[in-house]
C-alpha cells in the first residue's frame, strides 16, 4: 500500500511514522508513506496556500490551484483508489472504514487547514471525506495520523500475530473482553479462574460473554448495528 499525504505542516506528521508498529511496517516494505508540502506547489512569490473567502466572513480558505497541482502530479505517476479529505464534516471514522481502506493499493490524504478547502477541491478531486470525531482540530494532520495508524495496522503482516487485529474491539461490533497477565493474584485481586482451566472452548465462551456484557453496558448502540 502507498499513502500520499498532502499537508502544509509535514513536520507534524513525521513522528507517528518513526516509531513502533508504523515504523516497522514501513521498514518491512508493507506500506510507503510520502509527505507532500503543499507550499511546494504554490504559484505566487509568497507561497500562499490560502486566501480570503468570497462573500466575506472570518477565516481563510485553502486555494484550489496548489492542491490541483499536487494531486495532478501524483495522479500522473500512478492510479489512486481514493482521494480522502480530512474534515470535521466528513463521515466519522470507524473500524469498518479502516478495514475497507486497508485493502486499497494507493490513497491520497489531503489535510485541511484554516476554514477548510475551496468547495471545488471537494467537488472535483475528493472521493471520500473523513472526520475522526465530533470536535474541531486545528488541522487535518492529527486526523490523518489517526487514520493511517488505524489502517496500516490492518495490512496483513503488519501485526506480529496475524490474528490479533481480528480480536480487537469493534471487529465484530463488540468491544474487547477483559485481559489479564501475571501475577495470578496481586494483593488479593484475582484473575478469573476460567482462564486457567485449559478448556479453550470454555475460555472462548467466557470471552464472548464478557465482550457482549461490556458492549451492552458501555456501547449499546453497537449492538443495534
Ligand atoms: N480537521 C479538523 N477537525 C477534524 C476532525 N475532527 N477530523 C478530521 N479532520 C479534521
Amino acid at each position: 500500500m502507498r499513502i500520499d499525504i498532502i499537508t502544509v505542516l509535514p513536520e507534524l506528521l513525521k513522528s507517528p511514522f518513526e516509531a513502533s508498529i508504523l515504523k516497522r511496517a514501513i521498514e518491512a516494505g508493507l506500506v510507503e508513506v510520502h509527505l507532500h508540502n503543499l507550499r511546494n506547489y504554490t504559484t505566487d512569490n509568497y507561497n500562499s496556500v490560502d486566501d480570503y473567502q468570497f462573500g466575506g466572513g472570518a477565516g481563510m480558505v485553502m486555494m484550489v490551484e496548489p492542491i490541483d497541482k499536487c494531486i495532478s502530479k501524483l495522479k500522473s505517476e500512478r492510479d489512486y483508489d481514493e482521494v480522502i479529505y480530512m474534515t470535521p464534516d466528513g463521515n466519522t471514522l470507524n473500524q469498518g472504514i479502516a478495514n475497507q481502506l486497508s485493502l486499497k493499493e494507493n490513497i491520497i490524504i489531503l489535510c485541511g487547514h484554516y476554514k477548510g478547502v475551496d468547495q471545488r477541491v471537494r467537488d472535483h478531486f475528493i472521493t471520500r471525506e473523513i472526520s475522526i470525531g465530533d470536535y474541531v482540530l486545528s488541522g487535518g494532520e492529527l486526523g490523518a495520523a489517526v487514520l493511517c495508524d488505524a489502517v496500516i495496522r490492518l495490512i496483513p503482516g503488519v501485526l506480529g500475530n496475524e490474528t490479533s487485529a481480528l480480536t480487537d474491539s469493534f471487529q465484530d461490533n463488540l468491544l474487547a473482553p477483559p485481559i489479564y497477565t501475571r501475577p495470578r493474584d496481586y494483593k488479593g485481586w484475582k484473575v478469573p479462574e476460567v482462564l486457567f482451566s485449559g478448556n479453550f472452548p470454555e475460555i472462548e465462551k467466557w470471552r464472548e460473554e464478557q465482550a457482549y456484557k461490556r458492549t451492552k453496558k458501555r456501547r449499546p448502540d453497537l449492538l443495534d448495528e
Side-chain angles (χ1 to χ4, degrees):
M1 179 178 209
R2 175 184 169 117
I3 304 175
D4 288 277
I5 306 178
I6 303 172
T7 168
V8 290
L9 286 173
E11 60 276 19
L12 203 52
L13 271 166
K14 289 215 167 80
S15 67
F17 302 103
E18 289 172 352
S20 188
I21 291 177
L22 301 193
K23 179 184 183 190
R24 269 188 277 127
I26 292 167
E27 284 173 355
L30 297 168
V31 62
E32 281 179 39
V33 179
H34 299 269
L35 303 179
H36 305 277
N37 190 338
L38 196 57
R39 294 217 187 265
N40 297 337
Y41 297 85
T42 50
T43 50
D44 65 359
N45 292 333
Y46 306 100
N47 294 124
S48 316
V49 292
D50 60 327
D51 208 335
Y52 294 99
Q53 200 175 148
F54 282 135
M60 305 294 277
V61 178
M62 288 171 80
M63 296 186 293
V64 63
E65 190 173 10
I67 295 171
D68 178 13
K69 285 201 148 52
C70 185
I71 291 178
S72 298
K73 175 171 178 284
L74 289 171
K75 283 185 169 175
S76 74
E77 293 163 354
R78 68 196 64 76
D79 290 333
Y80 284 90
D81 303 299
E82 298 275 5
V83 182
I84 298 165
Y85 175 47
M86 301 307 301
T87 176
D89 55 4
N91 292 119
T92 309
L93 179 62
N94 59 28
Q95 197 63 32
I97 295 176
N99 285 341
Q100 285 170 16
L101 293 176
S102 72
L103 303 171
K104 307 284 182 188
E105 207 56 55
N106 301 313
I107 64 177
I108 291 173
I109 302 176
L110 172 64
C111 302
H113 254 270
Y114 318 106
K115 275 281 156 199
V117 297
D118 188 304
Q119 181 60 37
R120 290 167 292 184
V121 170
R122 300 168 78 160
D123 293 343
H124 298 283
F125 295 110
I126 301 301
T127 61
R128 214 183 241 262
E129 303 192 332
I130 295 179
S131 163
I132 64 161
D134 289 346
Y135 41 83
V136 178
L137 304 168
S138 51
E141 284 75 13
L142 297 179
V146 167
L147 175 63
C148 287
D149 187 298
V151 168
I152 290 171
R153 62 190 293 287
L154 295 173
I155 297 171
V158 169
L159 294 185
N161 177 356
E162 279 264 18
T163 64
S164 68
L166 298 175
T167 57
D168 285 343
S169 281
F170 304 113
Q171 278 302 0
D172 39 18
N173 266 354
L174 287 179
L175 301 181
I179 51 174
Y180 298 89
T181 186
R182 291 189 300 170
R184 186 169 175 158
D185 183 338
Y186 183 72
K187 298 181 173 174
W189 305 334
K190 293 194 176 61
V191 174
E193 268 315 309
V194 59
L195 297 176
F196 306 104
S197 65
N199 182 340
F200 292 104
E202 193 63 30
I203 292 172
E204 204 36 50
K205 190 167 145 251
W206 179 85
R207 287 183 172 147
E208 278 168 23
E209 282 165 8
Q210 293 292 319
Y212 181 78
K213 264 194 206 161
R214 188 175 266 194
T215 310
K216 195 160 178 213
K217 184 150 181 241
R218 299 182 182 190
R219 293 293 307 277
D221 57 299
L222 292 175
L223 299 174
D224 304 331
E225 277 174 24

